[in-house]
Amino acid sequence: MAKLNSSLSRPKSTSPKPKSTLPADDQIGSGHAVTSYDVARHAGVSQSAVSRCFTPGGSVSDKMRARIKQAADELGYQPNAIARMLFTKRSNLIAVIVANLGVNPDFTSILSKHLIERGLNLLFFTLDQEADAERAIEQLWQYRVDGVISASELSEAHISLLRERGIPLVFINRLYEITGANSVGCDHAEGERWLIDRLVQAGHKNFGIVAGPKLSAVSRLRTHAALDRLQVLGIDKPAIIYGDFTYEGGRQAMRTLFEGKKRPDAVVCANDLMAIGCIDEAREVLSLGIPDQVSVVGFDGLSPGQWSAFSLTTVRQPMQSMVKAAVDMLVARIADPALATERRVFSGELVEGHSARLK
Amino acid sequence: MAKLNSSLSRPKSTSPKPKSTLPADDQIGSGHAVTSYDVARHAGVSQSAVSRCFTPGGSVSDKMRARIKQAADELGYQPNAIARMLFTKRSNLIAVIVANLGVNPDFTSILSKHLIERGLNLLFFTLDQEADAERAIEQLWQYRVDGVISASELSEAHISLLRERGIPLVFINRLYEITGANSVGCDHAEGERWLIDRLVQAGHKNFGIVAGPKLSAVSRLRTHAALDRLQVLGIDKPAIIYGDFTYEGGRQAMRTLFEGKKRPDAVVCANDLMAIGCIDEAREVLSLGIPDQVSVVGFDGLSPGQWSAFSLTTVRQPMQSMVKAAVDMLVARIADPALATERRVFSGELVEGHSARLK
DNA sequence: TTGTAGGCGTTATCAT
DNA sequence: ATGATAACGCCTACAA
C-alpha cells in the first residue's frame, strides 16, 4: 500500500528518463491535489502552458486554451493560490479588523461585497482585548495580506509597524487627527451640530449628554461637538454621563441623569444603541413620555433605531459610501504605495424621527 | 540604483563560492521581506536552525534558540505563512460562510474568538446571490482552507465537492435531514413546542403563523413543528403567511393576518426580527395591545427582542455552545477526516417575555 | 543538536 | 506561441 505517485515527471524528480514526459495517464479524481503538472500531462502540453492559460494576460492559442481548459475540468484542477502567492507576493487578502463592540452589524457584509467585486478576499480579525491586536497584526503579516481595513483603533506602534512593512492601511471611522494614516469617516461634528441646532431651535434648554467610553475617539468627537455647539448657542453646560456604547449603558445613564435635580429635557447620546436604552428606560422605569417630556437623539443610523417603537432622531452614517471609499482608497494604495495619505469625510444624513420634539 | 541584494547565499544562487556562506552582514530594516536566510546569516547559523526555532516541536539548544530569537527580533522577522502552507498543506485558515440575511449579528465575533483560541484564522465569505456560493467554494479551495463552517445553506453539488476534496465542513443551524453533513444546531421543534404549549395552556385559540421564506429549511422546521403541535392539541388550522425574515416582512405579515376575518389571538413567528415587526405593526397601525389583545412570540433570542420595548417571548438559541461545538467538531475532523459524520443538537431556552400572555 | 539538500506548485524569464 | 528552468521562502528527511 505505497502512496500513489500522483504527479511524476517533475523536472528533477526520481525519474531519470530525460525525454518523453508522458508516463501512464492519470486516473481521474484519484489522489488529492491535482497540480498544473497533472493537467499538463493529461493535455499533453507543458506545465507552463497550463500556467499561462490561467493567467489573465497569458498568450495562449485558442486551440491550446480549449484543450487545457478541458483537461483542467476533467481533473478538477484549480490553481493553487498559495503557490501563486509565494511567487507573486500578492495574496489578494485584505485583513479586516473590527472591535468587538460598537460596530455597525452590517458593516462586515457590506465590506465583503465591495471586496468581492474587486476579487479580494477577507481575512477577519475581531478584537476583544488589547492582546488581540498584537496577534492580529502578527498574523496578517504572516499571511502577507495586501492591505488592512480597520474599524478599530490601533496603537501608534502597530500603525507604524504596518507602514514600515509597506502594508497599506485604511481606517474606517477612527482616529482622525493623529499621525498620517488613511481614513474615511463620517463628519461627526457636523451631524452633532445639526442635532443640537434643531433641538435648541425647538426650545430645549436643559441638556444631558450620554457619552461613550472616555477613550473612544468617536465618542470624544461627537460629544465635544455637541458641547461646543451648546456653548456657542448659550445653553447651560449640560450634565455628562459616560456610558459604554451598549443598550444597558444607555439605560443606566438615563437613570443617573434623572437622579440629579436638574432633569434634562433633551438627551444627546453618542450612539444609537445607548439612545435606545435611554428611551426604554424613560418609558419603562421613569414613566416619561418621549418626546413629550424628554427628547432623545442618537448617532449612527442603526436599523433598530428606525423601528417604529423608537423612531429615533439621529444622524445616519452613509455606510455604503464610506465602505466603498475605504476599499477604493485601499486598492489605490496597494497599486501605488507612494500615494499621499488621505482622509475622506462624508456628511451624515439627519433622520428626523419622533424621539425628539423638533418644533 | 540597482535593486539591493537582500538575501544572498541561497543554495544554488548566483554566487559560485561553495563555502563561507556569510557575506557582508545586512543592514537592519533596509529592504523588504526579511527571510529565514537573512536571520540565519545575521545569527551565523544555518537556515534550517531558524526554521526549527520557529517550529513548535523543533529540537534546538537553548543557546541557539536565544541567539536566533534575538537576530529575528532585530531584523523584524516573522515566518512567511504562505511558504509554510505550501509545504505543510495546512493553512490554519477556516472559511466561514454566512448568508447575508438571517444571521445572528454576533455570530461572527463569537466564532472568531473560538477560532483564535485554537490558533486558526478566519477567511470570511458572505453570500448574497447564488453566484456568490460558487465563488466562495472556488476561493476557499484555492486558499486550501483547513475546514469550512457554514451558516448558510449550500447546494448538494457544493457539499459533495468539498467532501471529494477532503475539506471538512460543519453547518451551523442549517440542513439537517439531508446528506451526511456535519452540523450543529438548535432543536427548533422542541422550542416551538414549548411556545405552542404555553400559548395553548394560556387559552389561546386562534393562531396565526408567520413563516420565513418557503425554501428556508429553518423556517420549515420551526413552522412545521408549530403546526404539528397545534394539530395534536386540537387547535384549528391557523393561517400561514410567508415572510422574509425581516422586520418589514413581519409588519406586512401582521397586516395581512389582521385583514382576514378570523383575527388571531396568538401570532407565532419563525424568527425574532419578524416578531418585532409584528409587535410594532400591531401597536402602531392596528392599535392592538400586546399581549392583551394579541400574543406574539418569536425564535432566536436576538438582543433587540429583549429590550423592554418588546420584551419578546421567544426561544433563545445557545449561540456560544453551538459555535463552540461547531469549532470542536471541525477541528476533530481536520485531525481525523475519517470520523463519522455527526449532528449535535442543543436545546434552546424558553424566554418568557411580556409579548405573550402566558397564563 | 546542527547543517545540507531537495521539493512544495506556482510564475516569469528566457530561448526556441 | 510554446517549452525548459530558475526562483519564491519554508519544512523536513538525512547525514554529520
Side-chain angles (χ1 to χ4, degrees):
Chain A
M1 288 305 184
K3 299 216 185 89
L4 18 78
N5 50 351
S6 58
S7 75
L8 302 175
S9 81
R10 296 300 304 280
K12 1 172 183 174
S13 187
T14 52
S15 137
K17 207 179 287 181
K19 231 358 178 340
S20 163
T21 52
L22 300 172
D25 207 356
D26 30 46
Q27 58 275 49
I28 292 176
S30 66
H32 280 218
V34 23
T35 76
S36 57
Y37 278 94
D38 300 324
V39 177
R41 188 147 35 83
H42 191 68
V45 300
S46 78
Q47 182 274 338
S48 19
V50 178
S51 174
R52 271 193 295 265
C53 185
F54 280 87
T55 308
S59 83
V60 212
S61 67
D62 292 352
K63 216 179 96 188
M64 171 152 279
R65 163 164 280 120
R67 223 179 43 204
I68 294 179
K69 286 283 190 202
Q70 186 186 338
D73 281 354
E74 285 176 23
L75 299 183
Y77 169 77
Q78 289 276 99
N80 183 329
I82 311 231
R84 173 186 296 144
M85 288 188 252
L86 183 59
F87 192 93
T88 61
K89 282 131 166 16
R90 263 188 115 287
S91 61
N92 280 349
L93 248 29
I94 301 296
V96 173
I97 306 180
V98 305
N100 222 349
L101 281 176
V103 159
N104 200 313
D106 28 42
F107 166 68
T108 323
S109 74
I110 295 179
L111 184 47
S112 168
K113 203 173 317 174
H114 283 280
L115 290 178
I116 285 180
E117 280 173 13
R118 295 204 149 67
L120 296 169
N121 290 110
L122 197 165
L123 194 59
F124 187 80
F125 296 96
T126 176
L127 266 38
D128 263 348
Q129 321 142 12
E130 190 45 38
D132 291 341
E134 195 71 28
R135 192 196 106 96
I137 297 286
E138 180 183 296
Q139 291 293 312
L140 65 86
W141 165 248
Q142 289 198 8
Y143 281 94
R144 300 303 192 263
V145 300
D146 293 341
V148 179
I149 291 182
S150 177
S152 159
E153 299 179 32
L154 258 32
S155 71
E156 289 274 352
H158 288 152
I159 295 175
S160 46
L161 194 55
L162 291 177
R163 195 193 346 264
E164 279 166 25
R165 289 174 169 170
I167 305 179
L169 164 66
V170 174
F171 281 98
I172 290 215
N173 239 347
R174 305 283 143 165
L175 185 140
Y176 286 155
E177 41 268 78
I178 316 187
T179 142
N182 299 295
S183 67
V184 348
C186 173
D187 193 333
H188 306 296
E190 178 192 50
E192 210 63 64
R193 282 195 301 269
W194 289 342
L195 291 169
I196 297 293
D197 284 354
R198 295 298 303 266
L199 288 169
V200 170
Q201 266 172 34
H204 295 86
K205 296 231 155 26
N206 296 313
F207 281 75
I209 303 268
V210 179
K214 280 193 182 163
L215 347 87
S216 154
V218 171
S219 164
R220 265 204 307 277
L221 281 164
R222 293 177 182 171
T223 309
H224 282 9
L227 288 170
D228 286 353
R229 196 58 171 188
L230 286 172
Q231 191 172 21
V232 166
L233 297 178
I235 304 288
D236 287 354
K237 199 163 179 348
I240 303 184
I241 311 289
Y242 291 90
D244 58 358
F245 276 151
T246 68
Y247 170 83
E248 246 329 308
R251 294 194 65 143
Q252 209 168 312
M254 194 69 171
R255 216 172 311 144
T256 312
L257 227 35
F258 278 81
E259 274 166 2
K261 46 189 165 303
K262 209 173 141 197
R263 298 157 64 111
D265 56 6
V267 175
V268 176
C269 301
N271 76 343
D272 279 359
L273 213 47
M274 293 196 296
I276 290 172
C278 287
I279 293 176
D280 266 6
E281 182 72 14
R283 288 177 177 156
E284 181 83 4
V285 177
L286 306 171
S287 303
L288 294 168
I290 307 282
D292 305 325
Q293 294 171 269
V294 203
S295 288
V296 175
V297 302
F299 206 111
D300 269 349
L302 244 48
S303 47
Q306 299 314 304
W307 296 344
S308 68
F310 309 111
S311 182
L312 191 61
T313 296
T314 187
V315 172
R316 173 163 29 237
Q317 304 193 69
M319 258 302 161
Q320 291 281 0
S321 310
M322 286 166 57
V323 169
K324 177 170 185 326
V327 173
D328 285 347
M329 199 155 158
L330 190 64
V331 168
R333 255 107 203 128
I334 291 171
D336 180 1
L339 283 178
T341 71
E342 179 187 3
R343 287 171 30 189
R344 292 181 64 177
V345 179
F346 289 85
S347 285
E349 176 198 351
L350 183 66
V351 180
E352 303 189 15
H354 300 118
S355 71
R357 183 173 51 79
L358 291 187
K359 48 188 63 159
Chain B
M1 288 303 185
K3 299 215 186 90
L4 15 81
N5 50 350
S6 58
S7 75
L8 302 175
S9 81
R10 297 300 303 278
K12 1 169 187 179
S13 186
T14 53
S15 138
K17 208 178 287 181
K19 235 349 182 341
S20 163
T21 53
L22 298 172
D25 206 357
D26 30 46
Q27 57 273 51
I28 293 177
S30 65
H32 280 219
V34 24
T35 77
S36 57
Y37 278 95
D38 299 326
V39 178
R41 190 148 34 85
H42 191 68
V45 299
S46 79
Q47 181 273 336
S48 40
V50 178
S51 174
R52 273 192 291 264
C53 185
F54 281 86
T55 308
S59 84
V60 213
S61 68
D62 292 352
K63 218 178 96 188
M64 171 152 278
R65 164 164 282 121
R67 220 175 50 199
I68 294 180
K69 285 284 190 201
Q70 186 187 338
D73 281 355
E74 285 178 21
L75 300 182
Y77 170 76
Q78 288 279 101
N80 182 330
I82 308 217
R84 173 187 297 151
M85 287 188 251
L86 186 58
F87 190 93
T88 61
K89 279 127 167 14
R90 265 187 115 274
S91 61
N92 280 350
L93 249 28
I94 300 296
V96 172
I97 305 181
V98 306
N100 222 348
L101 281 177
V103 159
N104 199 314
D106 29 43
F107 166 69
T108 323
S109 75
I110 295 179
L111 185 47
S112 168
K113 204 173 316 174
H114 283 278
L115 290 178
I116 286 180
E117 280 172 12
R118 296 203 148 68
L120 296 168
N121 290 109
L122 196 164
L123 194 58
F124 187 80
F125 296 96
T126 175
L127 266 40
D128 263 348
Q129 322 143 11
E130 189 46 37
D132 292 341
E134 194 70 28
R135 192 195 106 95
I137 298 286
E138 180 182 298
Q139 291 292 311
L140 64 84
W141 165 247
Q142 289 198 8
Y143 281 94
R144 298 302 191 264
V145 298
D146 293 341
V148 179
I149 291 183
S150 176
S152 159
E153 299 180 34
L154 258 32
S155 72
E156 289 274 352
H158 289 151
I159 295 175
S160 45
L161 194 55
L162 290 178
R163 196 195 344 267
E164 280 167 26
R165 289 175 168 170
I167 305 180
L169 165 66
V170 173
F171 281 98
I172 290 216
N173 239 346
R174 305 282 143 166
L175 186 138
Y176 286 157
E177 41 267 80
I178 317 187
T179 143
N182 299 295
S183 66
V184 347
C186 174
D187 194 333
H188 306 296
E190 178 192 52
E192 210 63 64
R193 282 195 302 268
W194 289 343
L195 292 169
I196 297 293
D197 284 355
R198 295 299 303 266
L199 288 169
V200 170
Q201 266 171 35
H204 296 86
K205 296 232 157 24
N206 296 313
F207 281 76
I209 304 268
V210 179
K214 280 191 182 165
L215 346 88
S216 155
V218 171
S219 165
R220 265 204 308 276
L221 281 164
R222 293 178 182 172
T223 309
H224 282 9
L227 288 170
D228 286 354
R229 194 59 171 187
L230 285 172
Q231 191 172 22
V232 166
L233 296 178
I235 304 289
D236 288 354
K237 198 162 178 351
I240 303 184
I241 311 289
Y242 291 90
D244 58 357
F245 276 152
T246 68
Y247 170 83
E248 246 329 308
R251 295 193 65 144
Q252 209 168 313
M254 194 69 172
R255 218 172 308 144
T256 313
L257 225 36
F258 278 81
E259 274 165 2
K261 46 189 165 304
K262 210 172 140 196
R263 297 157 66 112
D265 56 6
V267 175
V268 176
C269 300
N271 75 345
D272 280 358
L273 212 47
M274 292 195 297
I276 290 172
C278 287
I279 293 177
D280 266 5
E281 182 73 15
R283 288 177 177 156
E284 182 84 3
V285 178
L286 306 170
S287 302
L288 294 168
I290 307 282
D292 304 325
Q293 294 171 268
V294 204
S295 287
V296 175
V297 301
F299 207 111
D300 271 349
L302 244 48
S303 48
Q306 299 314 305
W307 296 344
S308 69
F310 310 111
S311 182
L312 191 61
T313 295
T314 187
V315 172
R316 174 165 26 238
Q317 303 194 70
M319 258 302 161
Q320 291 280 0
S321 310
M322 286 166 55
V323 169
K324 177 172 187 321
V327 173
D328 285 345
M329 200 164 182
L330 190 64
V331 168
R333 256 105 203 128
I334 291 171
D336 179 2
L339 282 178
T341 72
E342 178 187 3
R343 288 172 28 191
R344 292 180 64 177
V345 179
F346 290 84
S347 285
E349 176 199 351
L350 184 66
V351 180
E352 305 188 14
H354 301 119
S355 71
R357 183 173 51 81
L358 291 186
K359 45 189 62 159

